[in-house]
Amino acid sequence: MYSTLVFLHSLTRWFVVVSLVYAIWRAYSGWRSQRTFSKADNALRHWTATIAHIQLIFGILLYMQSPAVKYFWKHTKDALHNWDVTFYSLVHSLLMLSAIVVLTIGSAKAKRMSTDGEKFKTMFVWFLVAFIVLFVAIPWPFSPLSSRPYFR
Ligand code: HEM
């Protein structure tokens, strides 16, 4: 169960990153070129947030199964000296949670805007902020915070 969740959580990261980068690009180009906010743009807004929510569910399930997190909450005082354990138990989870909240608010706000330009701009700004936080919190192999492989 645990290794399946790690595999799924690691894999879904790519869907989150790719959909978010594409949504940010579409929002930016739509805003700058004053394009119509099409059905495809709206579907992209919706699916980008939905993929992030699926990853959130995997993350929460993983949080409940992870030996590192279990160790953290059982031996918090000692575990605070172990950066990798603290990273997943507090830093990664809280940053990701915040990024997904920002993404969700941005998606909901964009949906409610009255003009196409405002929809694109709102989607661009909120999704970009979410992306920056998310990118920093992902344990890329090159991350100074914690590194894990690109694929499991
Ligand atoms: C879009 C959001 C997220 C992305 C892109 C993401 C990405 C990742 C990646 C790439 C890993 C490394 C997997 C590996 O070991 O190969 C990881 C580990 C982990 N994530 Fe996330 N994550 C996200 C959200 C969350 C959330 C919201 C939580 C908890 C509420 C969470 C909990 C964890 C835990 C506990 C681990 C470490 C598991 C372990 O090593 O035992 N993640 N995450």
Side-chain angles (χ1 to χ4, degrees), residues 29-42:
S29 60
W31 174 37
R32 301 314 287 176
S33 65
Q34 298 179 358
R35 214 166 19 83
T36 305
F37 193 87
S38 66
K39 268 195 165 173
D41 292 310
N42 196 47

Side-chain angles (χ1 to χ4, degrees), residues 117-130:
E118 283 173 328
K119 282 181 191 287
F120 279 130
K121 187 183 170 189
T122 307
M123 189 167 144
F124 171 67
V125 172
W126 287 78
F127 280 25
L128 183 64
V129 172

Side-chain angles (χ1 to χ4, degrees), residues 1-116:
M1 175 70 169
Y2 169 67
S3 52
T4 308
L5 279 172
V6 172
F7 166 77
L8 289 173
H9 195 65
S10 175
L11 179 71
T12 311
R13 152 252 313 250
W14 291 106
F15 294 105
V16 173
V17 169
V18 171
S19 62
L20 201 44
V21 167
Y22 184 51
I24 290 167
W25 165 246
R26 288 272 305 201
Y28 180 74
S29 60
W31 174 37
R32 301 314 287 176
S33 65
Q34 298 179 358
R35 214 166 19 83
T36 305
F37 193 87
S38 66
K39 268 195 165 173
D41 292 310
N42 196 47
L44 184 62
R45 174 198 62 74
H46 169 76
W47 281 104
T48 303
T50 302
I51 292 168
H53 292 155
I54 293 169
Q55 179 70 327
L56 172 67
I57 293 167
F58 287 148
I60 292 169
L61 293 174
L62 191 55
Y63 198 89
M64 297 188 299
Q65 298 276 324
S66 168
V69 176
K70 282 183 186 161
Y71 173 77
F72 180 85
W73 290 113
K74 248 192 169 167
H75 309 279
T76 311
K77 256 190 174 175
D78 290 337
L80 280 169
H81 298 293
N82 182 331
W83 170 248
D84 224 45
V85 167
T86 307
F87 175 76
Y88 289 104
S89 307
L90 293 181
V91 182
H92 174 81
S93 33
L94 290 178
L95 284 179
M96 288 309 195
L97 219 65
S98 321
I100 295 171
V101 167
V102 170
L103 186 72
T104 307
I105 295 174
S107 172
K109 272 183 170 288
K111 188 180 174 180
R112 281 160 186 74
M113 288 295 162
S114 47
T115 69
D116 288 355

